Every structure is written in structure tokens, then in C-alpha cells.
Amino acid sequence: MVVWGLNQVMRHRFCVASLCVVLSFSLFSCQKEGVFHPKKKLIQRNCYAMDYPEAITSYDYIWDDGLLVGIKGAGTTFELSYDDQHRLSQVVCNEEFAVYHYQEKLLNTIDYYVGDSLYYTIQVRHEGNKISGYGYHLDVYVKSLEESKLRPLILGKEASQVFADMEKSKYVHGDGSYYYGADFVWDGDDISQVIYTESITPSYRFIGQISTQKYTYTYEKLKNPFHGLLTIEGLGVAHLSAHCVCSVDDGNAYVTNFTYESKSKFPVRRTSSDGAVEEYVYEE
């Protein structure tokens, strides 16, 4: 596997960003986190191509009585299950799975497993009823996480790539406790900024450090068709927002812009400044 620098990884991320679709936690402000039961516009298929119309990648969404129970695409199947309050409780992909835990109405933790092994627990933070960030500790460098299919689904493609790059420093620098987190800045119903952080606790082999990466977002006045869904970029930065992303600034003088075609205030096609095209198909 080729190891890229952080800036190169970031740019690559935006070339493949649409492989995972734009999602978030709350369909309506009064709805409990983890509940995705849209009354309009059930997403049926999401298609992506970097060189449209060639090399199209499609994700199909499987519904059961208004609840999303499966996502299939790119040779991968994700199975979703819910608790008795219709909140997402577990996502399974082959030997990987994530378990979601709630405290009253809010998401509290996510346990990430591979087989019988608990790799880490994601702690979710709130300010009021909005998610303000999350974090997790990793005391052992796990190379298999680089190829995880489920982790981008939990954290989002962007965050997963950022943290994977940061985690390689564990392999380079050796012992010490590593913390990875993201903090959100809200502007109304949308996230305007996210700051990713890596904090390394000093060890006898390494003096310790804190690294950060900041992204800034603007939005279109279009409804996010996945608003309310925890998974497929469930904790993915702008994917917690109610509207569709218009631009992303990675903090390193690289900006990706998006334009949309829409119908009834929902996107049906998105084109990015790097040439990627994404289409959305809804149930009639």
C-alpha cells in the first residue's frame, strides 16, 4: 500500500468523496438521534463517476416499512438493525460491525469491532441537542484499519482518511497513547467548520505532539436526502448538516466546489469542480 502525505490524501479524498453519500443525524430538530424514517423522498440509488458516464459506482438502498435495512454497492453489503425505538443499533459488514449506544435521546458511544475484538469506542459529545464532536483512543497501531470498509461508514470518508494518515505516526514513533477527535462549529442547521485533532501522549520514545486539520464548508439551499441517517458517513462532518454542501476548503489552499441540479428542493445530480459526478434516484 502506498503511504501518502496528509495533503495528498486530502486531495484524493475529494476525488472519491462521493463513494460515500452525504448523511447526518437529525431528520427534524425534534427527532431522536439514530431515527431515520423519512416521510418524503426515500433514496433508492446513489451513483458516482469520476469520469462520467464511465466507471460508475452505484449504491442501492434497501427499505423495509420505511426503515433502511441494507446498503449494497462496490462489492460490499452493509446490514442495518434497529432497537425497539427505531434507532440504529448495529451495522454489520462481513467480520466488522459497529454497536450504537444511546443515553436518553442522544447518541453516546459507538463500539467498533472486528470479529470478537473491540478495537475502540467512539465517545460522542453534545452541546444541547447538537453533536459538538467525538473522539477515540488508539493505544495499538492496527494496520488492518487502513483497509476497513466499515470505518468510513461510521466516521465518514474524510475523517477516516485523515485519522488513518495520522495513525501511521503510531507505527513510526512507537509507544504512547493516541487520541483522535473532531470538533464541529455549527451555523444554524449546518456545520460550517470541523477541526480534526491528533494528540499523542508522551512516552519514553517520543516527546508527544498535537496535530490539527481544519475544513470549512458552505451550503446550497437544497435538502440533504440522507438527513437523519447515522450510517454511511454518519459522523462525517458536513454530513450531519441539513443542507447540501456547496464548497469545501481543506485549509491548505485547496477548495472543491459543487453545483447541483434539483427537483422539489432535493438534489438529483451533483457535479464537483474536480470533474466527479453524482446522481440521486428516489422512490416514486
Side-chain angles (χ1 to χ4, degrees):
M1 177 175 289
V2 177
V3 178
W4 291 347
L6 182 58
N7 291 345
Q8 189 176 0
V9 168
M10 294 305 177
R11 295 191 180 191
H12 179 71
R13 181 267 168 206
F14 288 113
C15 292
V16 300
S18 297
L19 291 178
C20 292
V21 291
V22 178
L23 305 172
S24 67
F25 280 97
S26 300
L27 182 59
F28 302 106
S29 60
C30 61
Q31 187 172 1
K32 290 180 292 186
E33 286 178 358
V35 177
F36 183 57
H37 199 96
K39 295 175 171 40
K40 296 180 180 180
K41 296 288 186 183
L42 297 184
I43 189 73
Q44 185 177 36
R45 175 171 290 184
N46 177 250
C47 304
Y48 166 84
M50 186 61 204
D51 185 17
Y52 190 84
E54 303 297 328
I56 294 176
T57 300
S58 297
Y59 287 88
D60 293 310
Y61 298 82
I62 303 167
W63 299 85
D64 183 9
D65 194 24
L67 289 177
L68 183 65
V69 296
I71 303 170
K72 293 184 178 181
T76 302
T77 298
F78 302 103
E79 298 177 353
L80 290 69
S81 57
Y82 299 80
D83 63 17
D84 57 6
Q85 298 185 49
H86 288 174
R87 298 180 302 188
L88 183 67
S89 60
Q90 185 167 286
V91 181
V92 178
C93 178
N94 299 326
E95 65 173 355
E96 299 179 74
F97 66 96
V99 180
Y100 294 74
H101 303 279
Y102 301 85
Q103 186 171 13
E104 296 180 351
K105 295 182 179 181
L106 303 178
L107 179 66
N108 187 34
T109 61
I110 305 172
D111 293 331
Y112 171 69
Y113 290 85
V114 178
D116 295 329
S117 300
L118 174 63
Y119 274 32
Y120 52 77
T121 296
I122 300 167
Q123 300 283 341
V124 181
R125 302 185 298 276
H126 292 79
E127 288 185 6
N129 290 325
K130 287 185 176 180
I131 293 174
S132 60
Y134 64 86
Y136 67 96
H137 288 86
L138 188 66
D139 294 322
V140 178
Y141 174 78
V142 184
K143 186 174 178 57
S144 63
L145 289 180
E146 296 176 20
E147 300 177 359
S148 167
K149 294 183 180 296
L150 186 57
R151 189 162 75 157
L153 180 142
I154 301 171
L155 298 178
K157 183 72 175 180
E158 177 183 278
S160 183
Q161 197 67 72
V162 172
F163 294 145
D165 189 78
M166 289 178 169
E167 286 161 9
K168 289 182 177 68
S169 64
K170 175 66 179 178
Y171 182 74
V172 173
H173 297 302
D175 297 333
S177 177
Y178 283 57
Y179 168 83
Y180 304 93
D183 292 287
F184 304 131
V185 177
W186 286 86
D187 182 6
D189 292 329
D190 300 314
I191 291 175
S192 61
Q193 285 189 338
V194 60
I195 300 95
Y196 295 113
T197 301
E198 175 196 46
S199 178
I200 307 174
T201 301
S203 70
Y204 73 96
R205 295 178 62 186
F206 192 56
I207 61 174
Q209 69 180 40
I210 297 177
S211 302
T212 61
Q213 181 78 25
K214 181 171 72 174
Y215 282 68
T216 302
Y217 301 83
T218 63
Y219 295 86
E220 289 277 358
K221 294 295 184 181
L222 292 177
K223 296 180 180 179
N224 178 357
F226 304 98
H227 194 205
L229 182 58
L230 278 175
T231 193
I232 295 288
E233 299 219 42
L235 285 175
V237 193
H239 316 307
L240 298 174
S241 302
H243 301 99
C244 294
V245 175
C246 179
S247 69
V248 184
D249 185 336
D250 73 352
N252 291 300
Y254 187 79
V255 178
T256 303
N257 296 298
F258 303 97
T259 58
Y260 293 87
E261 296 175 22
S262 63
K263 183 178 181 180
S264 301
K265 296 184 179 180
F266 280 87
V268 294
R269 182 183 174 99
R270 183 179 83 170
T271 303
S272 69
S273 56
D274 60 14
V277 175
E278 186 171 359
E279 294 185 340
Y280 309 89
V281 179
Y282 304 93
E283 290 188 354
E284 297 295 333

